[in-house]
Amino acid sequence: QVQLVESGGGLVQAGGSLRLSCAASGRTFSNYAMGWFRQAPGKERDFVARINWSGGSTYYADSVKGRFTISRDNAKNTIYLQMNSLKPEDTAVYYCNAGGSTYSSYPGDYWGQGTQVTVSS
């Protein structure tokens, strides 16, 4: 029931910032916990951040805590990932995900197509 489309990826220098967006289709967007995962070449797809249906509860991977902020705008059917103090190890394809548990690193059933984030040193 959910289709997800990411945008906002690109090239950025270490220490810089980038904001990713994920636009969701359908009228049930607000009923899903939403999150971000990332996958570097040759590596597993890893949890980054997740936000509950109301936007009042968030959960972050330790590697991004204090640097990344997840938010959502249910009126626009969109979630965001504000990425600050970017590091080269943040380089990956970032995927939007829907349907997971708010405080879990396990993904839900719905994925976007991914957007590339490259951080140069």
Side-chain angles (χ1 to χ4, degrees):
Q1 288 241 56
V2 178
Q3 292 80 45
L4 309 171
V5 179
E6 303 95 333
S7 62
L11 306 176
V12 65
Q13 194 171 354
S17 298
L18 205 60
R19 192 185 201 193
L20 306 183
S21 299
C22 172
S25 67
R27 294 191 289 266
T28 61
F29 172 77
S30 63
N31 294 326
Y32 291 92
M34 301 287 294
W36 293 92
F37 288 70
R38 65 187 182 184
Q39 187 170 23
K43 298 188 66 178
E44 299 291 323
R45 190 172 297 185
D46 293 328
F47 168 76
V48 176
R50 185 172 275 128
I51 188 166
N52 76 338
W53 68 270
S54 68
S57 298
T58 57
Y59 178 57
Y60 297 93
D62 288 342
S63 59
V64 307
K65 194 173 298 181
R67 300 188 298 119
F68 291 10
T69 302
I70 188 171
S71 61
R72 70 190 298 163
D73 185 342
N74 288 342
K76 297 181 65 176
N77 289 349
T78 301
I79 68 166
Y80 306 93
L81 186 68
Q82 179 66 47
M83 304 184 294
N84 299 325
S85 302
L86 282 162
K87 305 174 181 179
E89 52 262 44
D90 296 318
T91 295
V93 177
Y94 283 70
Y95 295 90
C96 186
N97 177 256
S101 177
T102 302
Y103 300 106
S104 172
S105 61
Y106 294 101
D109 293 335
Y110 303 99
W111 294 97
Q113 85 289 344
T115 185
Q116 177 71 48
V117 172
T118 302
V119 184
S120 63
S121 58

